[in-house]
Every structure is written in C-alpha cells, then in structure tokens.
Amino acid sequence: MATDNLKLAPPPKTVNGLVAVPMDIQHLQATVIFDGAASTATATAAITFITGVQDGCPVFDLRQTISTALLDGVAIAIADLAVHDFGGGPDAQMRIINRVLPAGTTHTLQVNYAIGLPQAAAGGGYPPAIAWLPGPRLKFNFGFTDLAPARYLESWFPANLIYDQFDIELDLQVSNTAIQHAVITNATVTSLGTNHWKLNFPARCTALSTLLEIRAADTLQHQSGTVLLPVSGQTVTVDAWKLVTDTATDLTVQINLIKNFLVNNENNIGAYLHGTRFTVFFNMGGMEYEGAATATTGTVKHETFHSWWARGIKPASQPDGWWDEAWTTYFNDMGGTTSTPFDFTASPVQLCTQNQWSRITAGGAYTDGNRFWEGMSSLIGNTNLKAYMKDFYNSYKNKLIKTNYIEEYLLCRSGNVQVVDAFHRFVYGFSNPSATPDLWMKDDTTDIAGNDNWAGKFWNSPDIWIRNNDDDGTTHQNAEYGQDNWIYARVRNKSATVAVKHFVVAFNVKQFAGTQFNYPADFLPGIAAASGFDLAAGSSMIVKARWPKNLVPAAGTHACLIAAVITRGEHPATNKFVWESNNLAQKNLTIVDLSPNGFIIIPFVISNYAYSQKRTFSLEVFRPLKYTAVPVTLLHPKPVLFSGFEKVQPFIITGHVKNANKDDLLDCSGYIGEQLKPAVAITDSTIKEAYHLVNTPLQEMYFKPGSAAAIAIAVKENDQLLLHVKVQVPADIKIGEKLEFDLVQRDSKTKKITGGIALQVNIIKQ
C-alpha cells in the first residue's frame, strides 16, 4: 500500500549525471541460509517499491557485495546498482538504480549476495557480527547504531533512508548443524522447523526498527514476566535474554525494573504502541528498537523510554535523530526538572543539519540536546514543557517526526516567539542574521512594496489560503469540517541582499468574522505553524501546515485566518494591527454557492480596541459594479445604535430555508437560504438555531443602493458588537456569475479602514 513517506524524502538530485529520485518501499522479502558446514551465509532479497512524482533513477542502499540482480524480472548489471556520493558526509553514499523509471509506478528489485560484515563505518557500543563458533554455533546480530552512517537495516538487506516505512518478511535458516539455535527479535516469529523461522515486521517499520539476534540456544538464558499497563490496559510480556556466561545480570530483578519503566512511561507519556511484548537482550552497549532493546543494566531504562520517544514517534531523517536522544536524556535520564535560561550570545549549536543526505545523529544530541531542553524549560515553564511534549507525542504517535514539527508545536502551544530564536541558534546552528531581516506577506494583490502601514484593502490577503487537502493548490477554499485541512502562506523576503536561513509562520483562526485583529493577543498561541529555510534575498517561498481536524471549527462557524511570520532578528511588533505590520496577514473571506434569488447570512464582530475612547465608525459595503442594487442588510436588535441606513424593518425570512438543521450548516459561515416558498417569520427553533438567532428579535437595516454605501455606528472603547450581514442575489442573475462583496469598518475621524470581511458568491443552478 502506498504511503505519504515520499513527502518526507530528500528531493530528487542529479548525481554523476543521473537524476536520482527517492523510492517508497512497500515490502521487503528476504531468504537467508546460514550454512554451518561451510561457515557461510547467502541471501536473496527483494524490495517492491513505488516511484515518486518525477521520472528518474531510484535510490536505495545495501552494504553487502551484490553478485546478481533482477529489476522487474530482467537481469541488471551490478555496475548499474553502483554506490554514489550524495554529499551526506563520509560513508553516507547511496546506491542508484541506473534505469529511468516512470513516476508513480511499481517495481521489484531482487538482489543475491553472500552475507559478510557490513561495508559500513564502525561505531556504537555493540557492533554487528556474523561469526561461527565451535559446534558449529552461529553468532549473528544486526548491531544498529545512530552514531555511524549506513548502520541500520541497509547493513544487511536492501533498504531506504529512515523516512520510509514498509513491512518486512525474513525467512531464516541455520543449516548443517546439530546445535539448536534461538532468535531474539521484536518480529512475529513463526517456526518452520528446526533452526528455521519466518519473521514478520509490521508496515510501520523503518530501517531502524528491527531487532535480530541469532545464537546457539545453549549460550543463552531466557526469562519472562508480565505487566498490566495502566493507560493502554494491555498486558505486556517482558522477554529478557542474556548470555549464560553473564553472571552479573539478574533477569528477575531486571524484568521487575522494566515493568516499572513501562508503567511509568505510559503514565508520563501515553499508551505503549508495540503490541503485547517488550524484548531486551542484556549484553553490551545500548540500542533502541520498536518494543525492544539491546542494553546493559545501566542503559536499559534509557532504551525502554525510547520505545516511546524514538520508536513510538520516529525521526523522519537522520538529522532529526537528535530530538529523541536529547529528550530521553533530559526527561528520562536527568529527571526533567532542570531549567537553565538560554544565553543567546553563546556560540550556535547544530543538532539538526539541513543536509537531508546526512546519515548520522549529531554527537551533541545527549549533551547539547539536554542543555537545549533545559533552556526550553526555562523559556516556557517546566510544567508546560512536559505537558506540551506529552501532548505532542499523543498527537503524532506512530508517525515520523521532523524537527520543525516540534518547533512549530511548541510555538503554537506556548505562544512564545523565542521558541523560534532557540531553535534557530541552538538546534539548526544558525548565526544571527547579518542585518535585520524584513519578511512580509501581501495585504492585497495591489500591495507590491511590502511596506508597513498599508493604506489599502487588507482583510483578504492573497498570501494566505486554505486547502481541504494537501494538494499544493493555490486557490482559497472554505475549511471543511470533520477532516484535516491545510493552511498555506507565501512569505516574501523584502531585502535585496540578506537571505533568511530560517523562519516560521504562525497561523491562528478566529472563529468569528472580526474586522480587526491585534498582535500578539489574537495571533498567539496558534492552531498551526509552518517553517521555511533558506529564503533567498528578493525571493518568496510557500510553506504549509496541517490544520488538525480536531481544531477545525464546527460547521456554521466563520473562520477568519490570520498569520504572523517570525524569524530570528525580526518578530512582529507588539500591539500592531494587520495593516500596521507587513509580517502580519489576514484572510476574512467566505466563499459560497447560491442559486438565483438565494441569500447568505454571515455573523461578524466589530470592535474598538485601537482607541482609548468612544469612536464612530462607518460600516461600508462595496458591491460589484454590475449589481449595485443587490440588497445588503445588517441585522441587530438595536437599530437606534446605527444611522444612515435606507430603511429598517423586523427581520423575517422572505423564503424557504434549505436544509435548515444544525448538521447542514455551511463549513465557512452562516447559512444559505433559497427563495422557494412565500415569506415566513422566524418562529421555528431549528431555523433560528441555524442562524444562531435563538430568542433574538432582530431588525433588518438596509444599505442604500450603489457600488458603495455606508451605515454609521459609535463603539465604546474596548467594546465589540455581534452583527449579521445578509446578502441576497437577484432572481434573474445568470448562472456562472461570480460576485465579490467587501464590508469594511472605517474610522470616521481619520478615514482609515480598520477592518473588513470579504464575500465571494458563485451563482449555480438550484
């Protein structure tokens, strides 16, 4: 089954004249025969994979010497599977299949080889091994490590970078020996006979997930115990192994400790995700796997915690490997209570390189990473930090995590813009900008200079928009309730000379159609954020963020989208409105489909937070030039507060309300009516609830005809009013017409527009 893993892959890259493109492995199947008589091991392995969105030569890795290969059943020369340098550093090369394969197609690569020690760099506390001892007895272990490149599954079988998830089936046989052997693994094991097993690893696995040891049974001691976990409610068996020569490790003691670790981790983080088993082999070093570990008595607590942070949520790339080690060190090993303020004059620290072909976790993940979390604890509060990280885990469990996801989440939850500064300097390792950055988003299509204090239309920024799917579309859509949506922003670099290494756009959604919003109170905390890197001088970049479905407001709620762009050296100024700051943007646009003679009602809020005294405002409607007589009205209980309207009358519905029930409310706002029946007063409670007008005797005030018309109102300082605007289209309007309306709030004294909402009406057949 195809996945979204390719969205996390490095982009295509031309290497030695080949257009190298990422692949998405679906399935790995391998057969390995360990021959005790010949002291050899041979493998036949096949990967089924899908190509991405671009034609090209797929990339994978295998650190064994291939003898023969087939691509889609046809022999391929070994030279056409050669290793190439992608610039990821020493020993970080990848293999390229020298065949241009069409985008979005499925293929199978089969390779045959004799298994030897991996052709990869040394490193880690427990090296890989394949050796024969007297008996003959096999000693085989994967020996994964984060601290050296190409030391995951690709050491032994064709595999991918760790952005990729796929299921794995291994057929393993130890032949030509009378000695009974055992497998230590986190796979589901099926016995196929003496010394013959089938191992199945689930489709959530990446190249760093799989534990495998094969040893003579008489060299091992095994013990197990069970524990009922408090959050998931499942009973987990702890399978513990050690060498019989290890007299220092008491498996009973260690199993009881692991039980406590599992219980505490569930309580502190969330449900255990790895089924009903936790497997540990006490030998040397310390390495985490999914629901498993190789460890010593000193490292087992650390490695158990990793089944949540590292293998419950997993790094999406090797550069992202720092966060699981850093958080495990801070929270698990060091107690998670220390708070030490950041010193922003200190030298930058790079924990996460931007080189996606890097294949090693930063060596400072344990030390500098721990120090980073001490700083974050000081910045946003220790209790808050731990609560946010727990929530992050439970929001992203079983997913692949990029570093910027954590940055964006902490910014949104805490509302503290220094989160961006801290990641900039002490995670990405960027220096302070050489000059003050000037990032901006357009207030309007006519905004071409990007200056502060914009005097034109600002409530429908073309540089922020919503899509219902992650499709990279650029046309704004109303939010769709009950599903994830996606928020996009186009960020522009006004400087002609200074590039910006890193920025974040924070998004918020106000669940009403307000006419003005103030930074930071209305913008932060936010509901989503999106990071960008390496924005060149004078250029623009589109970034996007997932808007989680649990944060998408219910149907019938008007969602006003606002955005703030933040970078090291430039935060939006405090107490500024959108039109006053070029790194703030607003989209107050509702898009509806109406039949001829239909109408739309939209609730909105006007306020006076910009001035410290009572102020008179002009509410002005701008109609399309072809339809200057379209009825536009305001609804409010007290028309005495307003002046300048053409007429006023009690609010009645002049037709039948289509689908008048709460489940059929518009996702964007308000409610649509269609003129199908004679006029009726609003008496039905279902209809009134549809309009949010229960027990509200409203009056309808008509704007005068014309391309522009105004109704005035005085608003006290720090006050706001809830109004409704109603727009009704003519009965004879042509199908296919698109009408655009703006309703603005203008200061009657300064003549300055201080807020607005926009409406786009598409005329469709009934």
Side-chain angles (χ1 to χ4, degrees):
M1 177 181 292
T3 68
D4 289 333
N5 293 147
L6 284 169
K7 294 179 180 179
L8 300 171
K13 181 175 183 176
T14 300
V15 180
N16 297 329
L18 302 176
V19 178
V21 297
M23 68 164 63
D24 185 351
I25 297 176
Q26 305 294 293
H27 178 68
L28 163 64
Q29 193 280 329
T31 298
V32 181
I33 297 177
F34 299 93
D35 187 336
S39 297
T40 60
T42 57
T44 296
I47 51 172
T48 302
F49 63 91
I50 297 174
T51 55
V53 297
Q54 178 176 327
D55 297 354
C57 303
V59 177
F60 75 106
D61 197 14
L62 172 61
R63 293 308 175 105
Q64 300 287 325
T65 300
I66 301 172
S67 55
T68 61
L70 300 172
L71 179 62
D72 296 330
V74 178
I76 184 172
I78 305 307
D80 288 334
L81 302 175
V83 171
H84 298 263
D85 187 353
F86 281 73
D91 301 308
Q93 300 90 341
M94 300 286 292
R95 292 182 184 266
I96 300 177
I97 302 174
N98 189 7
R99 293 290 187 276
V100 176
L101 301 182
T105 54
T106 301
H107 305 272
T108 299
L109 175 68
Q110 177 182 309
V111 289
N112 303 291
Y113 50 96
I115 292 183
L117 284 175
Q119 298 158 13
Y126 185 22
I130 178 169
W132 292 95
L133 305 176
R137 291 174 170 83
L138 175 65
K139 174 187 174 183
F140 177 80
N141 66 276
F142 273 174
F144 290 178
T145 181
D146 298 328
L147 303 177
R151 284 283 304 280
Y152 294 140
L153 189 61
E154 65 273 13
S155 286
W156 305 100
F157 300 106
N160 212 338
L161 298 179
I162 60 175
Y163 69 81
D164 201 2
Q165 295 171 286
F166 48 94
D167 67 272
I168 302 165
E169 180 180 306
L170 303 181
D171 185 312
L172 308 174
Q173 185 172 8
V174 182
S175 63
N176 293 324
T177 178
I179 303 297
Q180 183 72 39
H181 283 69
V183 290
I184 303 171
T185 182
N186 55 346
T188 299
V189 180
T190 303
S191 176
L192 301 178
T194 302
N195 289 342
H196 190 187
W197 312 270
K198 182 174 73 172
L199 275 58
N200 289 101
F201 298 89
R204 68 172 183 267
C205 287
T206 69
L208 48 62
S209 299
T210 55
L211 168 67
L212 178 60
E213 302 257 349
I214 305 177
R215 290 178 180 260
D218 60 9
T219 67
L220 298 170
Q221 180 180 337
H222 172 251
Q223 193 170 318
S224 64
T226 61
V227 59
L228 177 64
L229 298 185
V231 176
S232 63
Q234 62 187 356
T235 298
V236 170
T237 298
V238 179
D239 275 322
W241 302 75
K242 70 171 186 174
L243 296 174
V244 294
T245 54
D246 177 4
T247 58
T249 301
D250 186 324
L251 290 184
T252 300
V253 170
Q254 294 305 315
I255 287 171
N256 287 331
L257 287 173
I258 292 170
K259 290 179 184 180
N260 290 331
F261 299 154
L262 295 173
V263 169
N264 290 337
N265 289 345
E266 275 220 338
N267 285 328
N268 290 328
I269 311 169
Y272 182 72
L273 302 179
H274 308 294
T276 59
R277 190 160 50 106
F278 181 84
T279 302
V280 60
F281 179 39
F282 288 96
N283 190 7
M284 64 178 70
M287 184 63 195
E288 67 273 11
Y289 301 87
E290 294 202 21
T294 54
T296 66
T297 57
T299 62
V300 67
K301 181 182 178 184
H302 179 101
E303 304 307 338
T304 304
F305 188 89
H306 271 318
S307 276
W308 280 260
W309 279 87
R311 301 297 180 265
I313 55 175
K314 296 187 277 287
S317 71
Q318 200 64 49
D320 297 307
W322 75 276
W323 54 254
D324 61 75
E325 295 298 349
W327 184 248
T328 300
T329 301
Y330 174 76
F331 184 91
N332 183 78
D333 304 354
M334 308 302 290
T337 59
T338 305
S339 298
T340 306
F342 287 114
D343 179 357
F344 283 102
T345 68
S347 298
V349 175
Q350 186 182 78
L351 295 171
C352 180
T353 176
Q354 296 304 295
N355 184 347
Q356 295 185 65
W357 297 102
S358 174
R359 301 181 67 183
I360 188 169
T361 295
Y366 307 86
T367 52
D368 294 327
N370 177 67
R371 173 68 184 89
F372 173 79
W373 290 119
E374 290 180 353
M376 291 302 294
S377 175
S378 176
L379 189 65
I380 63 180
N382 185 259
T383 299
N384 288 338
L385 174 63
K386 289 188 282 192
Y388 297 158
M389 294 297 276
K390 179 178 180 178
D391 290 347
F392 179 86
Y393 173 86
N394 284 287
S395 296
Y396 286 88
K397 57 191 176 186
N398 269 329
K399 296 219 170 59
L400 304 180
I401 306 302
K402 296 180 71 67
T403 295
N404 58 284
Y405 295 2
I406 302 175
E407 175 189 17
E408 293 154 6
Y409 192 86
L410 292 177
L411 172 64
C412 288
R413 288 295 303 274
S414 71
N416 191 323
V417 294
Q418 283 192 295
V419 167
V420 178
D421 296 333
F423 273 82
H424 178 99
R425 194 161 183 83
F426 301 121
V427 172
Y428 304 123
F430 297 139
S431 299
N432 290 333
S434 59
T436 302
D438 193 355
L439 300 184
W440 66 290
M441 295 173 288
K442 283 188 173 186
D443 285 315
D444 185 59
T445 54
T446 61
D447 180 6
I448 59 174
N451 295 325
D452 294 328
N453 298 308
W454 170 248
K457 182 177 178 179
F458 61 85
W459 49 91
N460 185 16
S461 169
D463 278 350
I464 55 174
W465 63 95
I466 295 168
R467 300 292 296 174
N468 301 143
N469 296 291
D470 181 14
D471 58 7
D472 295 329
T474 57
T475 301
H476 176 69
Q477 297 175 321
N478 292 319
E480 185 69 32
Y481 178 64
Q483 65 171 58
D484 288 348
N485 287 255
W486 292 82
I487 310 176
Y488 290 77
R490 185 188 298 274
V491 178
R492 304 168 188 271
N493 187 350
K494 189 174 180 182
S495 173
T497 58
V498 179
V500 172
K501 299 296 293 182
H502 159 241
F503 65 87
V504 181
V505 182
F507 300 104
N508 205 4
V509 173
K510 308 303 288 187
Q511 297 186 22
F512 58 88
T515 54
Q516 55 184 243
F517 299 102
N518 188 261
Y519 180 87
D522 289 315
F523 289 78
L524 291 168
I527 55 98
S531 300
F533 296 89
D534 295 320
L535 178 52
S539 298
S540 67
M541 178 183 296
I542 294 175
V543 295
K544 60 184 175 182
R546 182 177 67 94
W547 183 3
K549 65 181 180 181
N550 63 299
L551 297 179
V552 177
T557 304
H558 181 91
C560 178
L561 175 63
I562 53 179
V565 59
I566 302 157
T567 187
R568 176 69 175 157
E570 187 194 27
H571 300 168
T574 300
N575 202 33
K576 293 292 185 182
F577 293 94
V578 170
W579 67 87
E580 296 177 308
S581 177
N582 68 356
N583 45 9
L584 303 176
Q586 170 181 335
K587 182 174 286 291
N588 223 340
L589 171 65
T590 297
I591 304 172
V592 298
D593 295 330
L594 286 182
S595 304
N597 213 27
F599 63 87
I600 174 71
I601 297 175
I602 302 173
F604 71 101
V605 170
I606 68 166
S607 58
N608 179 16
Y609 296 120
Y611 304 105
S612 59
Q613 67 278 337
K614 185 176 182 180
R615 204 79 166 188
T616 299
F617 296 98
S618 174
L619 295 178
E620 302 175 8
V621 63
F622 294 88
R623 298 179 175 94
L625 292 178
K626 288 175 60 178
Y627 297 99
T628 58
V630 166
V632 180
T633 62
L634 290 179
L635 308 178
H636 194 266
K638 298 179 180 179
V640 68
L641 300 176
F642 302 83
S643 62
F645 47 81
E646 182 183 32
K647 65 177 179 178
V648 62
Q649 64 184 29
F651 176 49
I652 61 173
I653 291 183
T654 56
H656 171 67
V657 177
K658 178 183 178 183
N659 298 326
N661 64 77
K662 289 184 287 185
D663 293 331
D664 292 317
L665 296 175
L666 288 171
D667 289 321
C668 56
S669 67
Y671 208 85
I672 290 176
E674 292 186 0
Q675 305 297 87
L676 301 178
K677 291 184 178 180
V680 293
I682 297 183
T683 55
D684 182 85
S685 62
T686 302
I687 295 175
K688 289 197 287 186
E689 287 183 19
Y691 283 98
H692 308 286
L693 303 176
V694 177
N695 298 322
T696 306
L698 296 179
Q699 301 293 310
E700 188 169 15
M701 295 163 282
Y702 283 74
F703 283 94
K704 296 175 182 178
S707 59
I711 295 176
I713 183 173
V715 184
K716 293 180 180 179
E717 65 275 14
N718 298 317
D719 208 354
Q720 70 178 37
L721 291 84
L722 173 64
L723 303 172
H724 293 74
V725 61
K726 177 186 171 190
V727 176
Q728 183 166 340
V729 297
D732 59 352
I733 193 168
K734 293 181 179 179
I735 303 301
E737 288 272 39
K738 182 173 73 174
L739 285 66
E740 296 180 354
F741 299 84
D742 289 295
L743 178 66
V744 305
Q745 176 183 352
R746 188 189 301 271
D747 187 303
S748 297
K749 183 176 181 179
T750 65
K751 307 304 180 184
K752 171 71 178 177
I753 293 177
T754 61
I757 62 176
L759 171 65
Q760 177 182 311
V761 178
N762 302 317
I763 306 302
I764 62 171
K765 286 185 178 180
Q766 187 174 319

